[in-house]
Every structure is written in C-alpha cells, then in structure tokens.
Amino acid sequence: MSEKKKRKIESEHRVFNTEWTNKYLCTVSKDKILCLVCRETLAVPKEYNLRRHFETKHPNLAKLNPNEKIIKAASLVKNLSGEQQIFKKVSTENDTVTKVSFQISKEIAAAGKCFTEGEFLKKCMLIAVSELCPEKRGIFENVSLSRMTVQRRIADISTNLSDQLKQRVSEFCFYSLAMDESTDLKDTAQLLIFIRGIDKNFEITEELVGMCSMMGRTTGKDISSEVIKCMNDKLGVDFTNLVAICTDGAPAMCGKNVGAVTLLEEFIGRQITKHHCIIHQQVLCSKVLKFEHVMSVVVSIVNLIRSRGLKHRTFRAFLEGEDAECSDLIYHTEVRWLSRGRVLQRFVALKEEIAKFLENGPIKFPELENESWNQDLFFFCDITAHLNDLNIQLQGKNQLIFQMCAAVKAFKMKLKLFRSQLSKGEMCHFPTCAQHIPQNKHAELGEKYAKHINLLIEEFDRRLTLSKNDDIQLKLIEDPFSVDPEEVTQDLQLEVIELQCSAVYRNKHRESSLWDFYKSLDDEKYKNLIEVALKTFSIFGSTYICEQTFSIMNMNKNKQRSSLTDDHLEDIMKISTSNMTPEYDKLARGAGKLQPGKPPSCGPS
C-alpha cells in the first residue's frame, strides 16, 4: 500500500462495524479483519471489500438467509476463540516453565552449587510429581535444567541484574565505592567493586558493580585503571557524584603518591573522602594486646589434639564420657575476625578436661598449671569477647557510617569504665576472671590489666578518632536537634535553626526512622541539610561486604570447581550478593535470544 493511500485510510478513521460479523462472517483479530471461514485477512475495513470477498470466495454461504448467517457466525466465532485459547494456554505454559527454570537456576547460583545440580533437582522433582500428581509429570519434564541451560540462565540473570543496577545508578543523587582485592584458588587477583548509592527518596542501593580479574601486577595504577574501566563499561557513569571510597587501607589502595584512590583523585580532578574500613581498624587496635604467650600455647594444644585423627577421636570420646560442656575444640584462623575470641572461650570452657586428657601424654604443657598464665588466659578471654561484640555490631550490609562510629565511641567509653573499675579491683564486666580468680587477688591483677586496657584506649584514640568537623557532621545527621548551630558550616546554620524550632519535625524525628524523617523535610527550605544527609547516607563505613563476597568466592571456586571461569564466577557473585529481584517474566520472554556480546559458553560448571 502506498504512503498516500495509507494516509487516506487513516484520515478517514475507518473502523470495523460489528454488524459485518453476521453479515459477511468476518471479525477483528489482533487489529486485523479476519474471515471466519477461510481465515484470510483483509487489509481495509471497508464494507465493499468484505462483501466482494464474501460473495466471491464463499458464494454458497452468501445464499444463506440472515438467521442462518447469524447461527453460522456464532459457531465460527466460537471455534476461533477455542483455537486461540489453546495457543494462548500453550504459550503461557511454556513461559511459566521457562520462568521456573530461571528461578531454580538462580537458587543454584545463590547456594553455591554446581551447574550440574539442575539435573539432579529435576530428577527429584519428577520422582515427587510421579507420586503426588502424575497427571502433571509432562509439565515438569519440560523444565530445562541441563548444565548448559543453568549456565545460560545464570548469565542471563546476571545481565538482568546489571541492567537494573544501571537504571538505578542513573537515579542516584550521590554514591560511594567500596573496593578490596584478594586471590582465588588459582592465584588470580580478584578486585571487587561495590557501589552504594542513594536517590532523592532516600532509597539506598548496595550492589556489586563488578569483579575484575587481574592477571598481572596489582599496583595502585592497575587497580585505578580497572575501577575506571569497570565504572564506564558496566554502568556508563562518570565520577561527578562520587562522595567517598572505602578500602582496607593497603598501600596499593591508599598510598599517598601512587595509591589507587590518589590516582582516581587525579583522574577525577578533585578530592575524594577516603575511609579506612572501620572493622579493619578495630582488628588492628586489638593487636596492641601482647598476649602471644597465651595464644601460642592455646593454638599449640588445639593443633596437637585436632591435627591427629586418632587423638582427636579419643579426645571427643573423652569429652563425651566426662559429660563436658562442649563437644570439641575449635581451630584458630588468624584472618577470621572472631576466631581468636571463640577459640579462647571454648578453650576456657574445656580447660580442666584438656589438662586431664594431656596429663599422661608425651608432650607436656606446664603453662596449664601456671597460675599467672591462667590469669592472663582468663583476662584475654574476657577482653577478646568484648572486642568480638564490637566487631559483630560493625558487621552487616547497609550499615550507616554514623551508627558504626557511634558503636566505636560507645566501646571507647566502655574501655574507660573497665580501666577505672580494674584499677579499683572490680571485675564485674570480666566474668571469666571473676569466676576463676580469687577475690583477694582482684586488686593486684586489676592494676596490671588496667594498663593493658589503657594501651587499647590509646590505640583506639589513635586510629578511630574523627576530626572535629567530621564528628559534628555525623552528629548533625544522626540528631540535628542536639547540635549547636554555630558549630556547623555557614550554609547549614539557618536551616538547622529553622529545623530545631519546629515542633512538628522534632516529633517526626523522635517517632520515625531517619529515612522517613529526611524524606519528610521540605526540599527547598532544607536543601543543604538534605544534600549533606544524602551524601552521608551513601558512604560505606567498612569493606565488610567485600570480605563477605570473598568468602562466597572461595566457597564457589573450590578444589572441585577450580576451572570455573572468571565470567561465570562473576555472574555467581552478582546473584549471591544482590538485593534486587531478577525480572523473571522479562527473562522468560527473552529466553533463547542470544544477547549481544554474550556468545554461548562451554566453560566448566
């Protein structure tokens, strides 16, 4: 049809007349005129065209009287509707089956299972359905869960999550990054880059941007190049709204001249707020406690008992016979934040049984009978328990930096209380000491251990004391009604005064969450305060999320799956760490279509 004729048809606004169904046995299907008899489509909804087709192609039916045509039309319409329902049902069923395949594949990735687990799950499903509802077996057989299918599904889900993240990033007011680097089983350096962004509605998104595999050196220059490339290629975002970067404090990350963050600042052309992971600093503070003489003996005894199979089995049987409080000892792992405290607690709980078990052994540990060593053990057990409590408070995703700083500040106050009480011989907050050390020695030992607490206080003050401006800013965002307006920056002073004089907002702050409180503020009246709040909420306080992801990486790329490709590993990491829900309906509709830049892979599971 020529453009001129098409425009003429559209300008005439020709529409199908419902009377033509009974008159010429035709109907409208998918915006087209369809003959109910021969199923031909007619281009133009014009009565002359319909009549000519009907009388020319179906002369016998044209001779029917009007009542007979009505009956015939109703029958044909019913047949057409039935056929369409069958096709619709088959199409819907296929989409549902594909959707289920995506959902199961996602769970396989999130659980760290091999891609081949899909076939095993399908066998289990077929066994269950054969017994419970055998008439549905055919539907379950159509769920594709072969190794290659699961692999493709996981890649498609990862791409879908990346597309969703890209869309969210475009709506961010501000964002920050958390970066960390570690090696996998094959000694490939893997750089994790997480983004934490916030939109105008104070909705926080915390997601993995990418896992960059670095085959060569991991200098600050190499890391900064990977970050720039990852942000541009995967998110298509510049660094205009970047607020802060959180790292583990390694020289390659934070070096003054050639660290990755310094080089990123040069690339961006402005200063970036740099944060050394609060959890890492807390762990470094704990190393100021010099109790190697305690820890070395504990680790030696644990290794002696657990490293030999026969001795370990004998020890467990011995504990069972003694009706001990715990059933086994725990190995110490230096890199795990909570390991030392848990090992000490278990050791103290089983100390009497351990001494009795080693009594007749070839290797002697005289420290177990040494009073001074035991006293140090009890104190070290208690103080590491307090440090572990702080560490657990600081862990977790979506932590706000001022909440983490408040936890550290509270712990420093606790340490000062401990120092004061120990100096007076009070051990009420050291339950292991109070239980095992005689009361008449509390004063003498309290003085000794107060010095260790003082070392801990000094180290926390050195590493984890905020500048005055940072402290005021965090305090302002956490509780804007408790700050002195003269202490904040000039652009915020008038807004803070207005806010503090509002009884409505004061009640809102007291009764609702901080997110809801800041969302309720007038955008124009408090625009500077809202901007500071948005920036503060977007900051990573620690690299906990990176450490957690490295654990997931090691769980997936193990000895049994050592050939897992970097691309597949990254897909699994994205699925395992994401808080977003894959768009399963969209994925099911697009299943089978090869995505640009994603050729079919034949990599290992």
Side-chain angles (χ1 to χ4, degrees):
M1 185 185 295
S2 67
E3 284 295 319
K4 185 176 180 180
K5 190 172 182 181
K6 185 176 181 181
R7 285 196 298 270
K8 182 180 177 182
I9 292 169
E10 292 175 352
S11 65
E12 292 177 359
H13 302 291
R14 296 175 183 172
V15 294
F16 181 78
N17 191 331
T18 54
E19 294 178 358
W20 297 342
T21 299
N22 295 330
K23 200 171 180 179
Y24 304 116
L25 303 184
C26 56
T27 189
V28 177
S29 178
K30 295 182 180 178
D31 298 326
K32 294 182 179 180
I33 309 300
L34 180 70
C35 175
L36 291 167
V37 182
C38 62
R39 304 295 171 84
E40 285 188 17
T41 56
L42 305 176
V44 183
K46 194 174 179 182
E47 186 173 12
Y48 170 76
N49 293 347
L50 272 63
R51 184 172 65 248
R52 184 178 64 178
H53 171 85
F54 184 58
E55 292 176 351
T56 304
K57 297 292 182 71
H58 314 294
N60 294 333
L61 296 175
K63 296 175 183 178
L64 298 175
N65 60 47
N67 289 333
E68 290 174 332
K69 286 182 181 178
I70 291 172
I71 296 170
K72 185 67 175 176
S75 175
L76 292 171
V77 168
K78 184 178 179 181
N79 292 339
L80 176 64
S81 178
E83 292 173 9
Q84 289 176 337
Q85 287 298 321
I86 290 172
F87 286 119
K88 184 178 180 181
K89 182 180 178 182
V90 172
S91 177
T92 303
E93 188 177 287
N94 288 339
D95 285 347
T96 304
V97 165
T98 306
K99 183 178 176 181
V100 168
S101 177
F102 273 106
Q103 290 173 326
I104 294 175
S105 298
K106 189 257 184 185
E107 295 302 321
I108 289 172
K113 301 297 183 182
C114 298
F115 300 155
T116 51
E117 291 290 321
E119 296 169 349
F120 170 73
L121 289 174
K122 185 172 180 179
K123 287 180 182 178
C124 295
M125 286 195 303
L126 291 176
I127 291 172
V129 77
S130 297
E131 294 296 328
L132 299 174
C133 46
E135 69 279 2
K136 300 287 186 180
R137 181 181 172 90
I139 298 174
F140 284 82
E141 286 180 339
N142 290 333
V143 179
S144 181
L145 291 172
S146 66
R147 180 177 69 87
M148 293 303 295
T149 299
V150 170
Q151 181 178 293
R152 286 196 306 273
R153 299 280 190 258
I154 290 172
D156 290 344
I157 291 171
S158 174
T159 301
N160 178 261
L161 293 174
S162 296
D163 292 341
Q164 289 188 58
L165 178 59
K166 193 172 183 179
Q167 175 59 36
R168 291 196 188 186
V169 168
S170 66
E171 300 170 0
F172 286 167
C173 298
F174 300 101
Y175 70 88
S176 295
L177 300 177
M179 307 185 308
D180 203 356
E181 176 265 324
S182 184
T183 54
D184 62 17
L185 188 70
K186 289 288 188 178
D187 291 327
T188 301
Q190 305 289 5
L191 174 67
L192 294 179
I193 305 169
F194 276 87
I195 189 169
R196 177 189 174 100
I198 188 167
D199 63 20
K200 61 182 180 181
N201 296 318
F202 282 84
E203 296 293 332
I204 294 177
T205 299
E206 196 173 285
E207 294 287 333
L208 175 65
V209 177
M211 186 186 76
C212 307
S213 302
M214 304 174 69
M215 301 301 177
R217 296 169 63 84
T218 56
T219 62
K221 184 179 180 181
D222 298 316
I223 293 172
S224 63
S225 298
E226 288 291 341
V227 172
I228 294 167
K229 181 182 176 183
C230 184
M231 294 296 287
N232 289 333
D233 293 351
K234 298 192 177 182
L235 294 182
V237 65
D238 58 22
F239 294 93
T240 305
N241 295 324
L242 176 62
V243 177
I245 295 179
C246 184
T247 68
D248 62 353
M253 292 287 187
C254 298
K256 184 177 179 181
N257 298 317
V258 290
V261 179
T262 303
L263 295 175
L264 282 172
E265 287 179 329
E266 292 179 5
F267 175 80
I268 298 168
R270 63 178 174 85
Q271 290 285 315
I272 305 170
T273 302
K274 297 179 279 289
H275 282 288
H276 184 178
C277 169
I278 293 175
I279 301 180
H280 276 88
Q281 293 192 78
Q282 181 260 325
V283 173
L284 290 172
C285 287
S286 67
K287 293 186 181 297
V288 76
L289 295 171
K290 303 300 181 182
F291 283 85
E292 287 83 1
H293 66 289
V294 173
M295 205 63 208
S296 60
V297 174
V298 170
V299 171
S300 297
I301 292 173
V302 171
N303 290 344
L304 173 67
I305 293 174
R306 291 212 51 169
S307 62
R308 294 168 175 80
L310 177 59
K311 187 178 286 292
H312 186 207
R313 291 194 298 272
T314 306
F315 178 70
R316 293 184 64 183
F318 174 76
L319 291 180
E320 188 175 341
E322 292 287 316
D323 196 21
E325 183 180 345
C326 306
S327 61
D328 204 354
L329 289 171
I330 302 174
Y331 269 127
H332 174 54
T333 308
E334 185 65 34
V335 296
R336 294 193 180 275
W337 294 325
L338 306 178
S339 177
R340 184 169 63 177
R342 289 174 174 172
V343 168
L344 287 169
Q345 285 182 325
R346 183 64 61 88
F347 187 89
V348 169
L350 296 174
K351 195 178 86 65
E352 291 183 8
E353 287 83 359
I354 291 169
K356 192 174 179 181
F357 179 77
L358 296 175
E359 197 172 39
N360 298 320
I363 302 176
K364 303 297 181 183
F365 292 93
E367 292 87 352
L368 292 175
E369 304 299 327
N370 185 288
E371 184 180 14
S372 177
W373 186 90
N374 278 283
Q375 290 165 353
D376 288 350
L377 169 67
F378 300 143
F379 170 76
F380 196 41
C381 178
D382 282 334
I383 193 61
T384 51
H386 287 300
L387 287 164
N388 277 6
D389 289 340
L390 172 61
N391 195 287
I392 291 170
Q393 275 186 274
L394 299 174
Q395 291 184 28
K397 298 173 73 173
N398 296 313
Q399 287 262 32
L400 297 175
I401 187 167
F402 51 81
Q403 292 175 340
M404 299 178 74
C405 290
V408 172
K409 188 175 181 180
F411 186 75
K412 289 162 71 174
M413 293 178 68
K414 291 177 185 178
L415 289 177
K416 291 176 182 177
L417 176 67
F418 296 160
R419 180 180 61 186
S420 174
Q421 290 181 337
L422 286 172
S423 299
K424 299 172 185 176
E426 298 175 10
M427 294 188 174
C428 55
H429 296 295
F430 293 81
T432 310
C433 291
Q435 180 183 350
H436 295 89
I437 298 176
Q439 184 71 35
N440 60 355
K441 293 192 176 182
H442 284 191
E444 176 189 347
L445 294 173
E447 286 287 344
K448 172 185 175 182
Y449 296 134
K451 294 178 182 178
H452 290 285
I453 297 295
N454 194 57
L455 289 174
L456 206 52
I457 292 171
E458 290 175 356
E459 191 67 11
F460 267 88
D461 285 339
R462 187 177 71 84
R463 289 185 175 274
L464 288 163
T465 297
L466 296 172
S467 67
K468 183 179 179 181
N469 290 337
D470 288 342
D471 189 41
I472 291 171
Q473 181 174 316
L474 295 180
K475 186 179 179 182
L476 168 67
I477 300 306
E478 187 174 15
D479 186 4
F481 297 95
S482 65
V483 297
D484 183 350
E486 292 187 10
E487 292 184 338
V488 302
T489 55
Q490 293 179 355
D491 60 327
L492 294 172
Q493 288 175 346
L494 298 182
E495 294 183 10
V496 170
I497 292 172
E498 288 274 0
L499 185 65
Q500 291 181 350
C501 293
S502 171
V504 174
Y505 282 130
R506 188 179 292 273
N507 290 332
K508 184 78 174 177
H509 181 265
R510 184 171 58 248
E511 296 170 0
S512 62
S513 66
L514 278 176
W515 285 272
D516 292 334
F517 168 72
Y518 282 106
K519 279 195 288 186
S520 69
L521 294 183
D522 186 285
D523 292 344
E524 292 299 323
K525 196 173 183 179
Y526 301 104
K527 64 178 182 180
N528 293 324
L529 180 59
I530 290 173
E531 181 178 321
V532 174
L534 286 168
K535 288 181 177 179
T536 306
F537 276 48
S538 72
I539 296 173
F540 279 103
S542 74
T543 57
Y544 167 82
I545 193 170
C546 296
E547 300 294 344
Q548 185 186 48
T549 306
F550 282 132
S551 296
I552 297 171
M553 178 188 76
N554 293 329
M555 182 181 71
N556 280 275
K557 194 162 186 177
N558 50 38
K559 290 182 180 179
Q560 287 72 37
R561 304 179 73 191
S562 59
S563 298
L564 191 67
T565 66
D566 292 331
D567 287 340
H568 292 155
L569 184 60
E570 183 180 12
D571 291 337
I572 293 169
M573 294 298 97
K574 283 186 180 179
I575 293 171
S576 300
T577 59
S578 180
N579 293 317
M580 298 184 294
T581 303
E583 298 169 315
Y584 291 116
D585 292 328
K586 182 179 178 180
L587 288 165
R589 289 194 298 270
K593 297 177 183 177
L594 188 62
Q595 298 177 8
K598 281 241 180 185
S601 173
C602 297
S605 64

